[in-house]
Amino acid sequence: MKLKTNRSAAKRFKVTGTGKILRRRSHARHILTKKPRKRVRNLVDCALVSKSDMRRVKRMLNI
């Protein structure tokens, strides 16, 4: 049988052309009024998945 991709992981992560995995930052959805504007702007950017989590994410995405 073919391996199935974890669909929840596929919606949360994106693979770049060089094979790095991008993720969204947390704390960017609500209660934004008490956070400084600079912090909210930085939360918009994507971040790389940490090295320790890379193996687990790749397994979920079947990479």
Side-chain angles (χ1 to χ4, degrees):
M1 282 177 56
K2 284 182 165 181
L3 290 174
K4 288 188 176 183
T5 302
N6 183 316
R7 297 313 296 163
S8 63
K11 293 167 187 173
R12 285 171 172 81
F13 301 107
K14 178 183 172 185
V15 183
T16 64
T18 56
K20 296 174 185 173
I21 301 175
L22 297 176
R23 63 169 175 82
R24 296 278 302 174
R25 292 183 189 271
S26 60
H27 309 295
R29 286 285 171 254
H30 60 101
I31 316 176
L32 298 174
T33 52
K34 64 171 71 171
K35 296 170 189 166
R37 295 287 100 197
K38 182 178 179 181
R39 180 176 168 194
V40 174
R41 278 198 310 273
N42 288 333
L43 290 174
V44 171
D45 296 332
C46 288
L48 292 174
V49 170
S50 67
K51 191 175 179 181
S52 58
D53 291 328
M54 193 73 75
R55 185 169 164 232
R56 185 181 308 131
V57 173
K58 282 187 174 184
R59 190 179 295 152
M60 286 191 286
L61 297 176
N62 291 328
I63 298 175

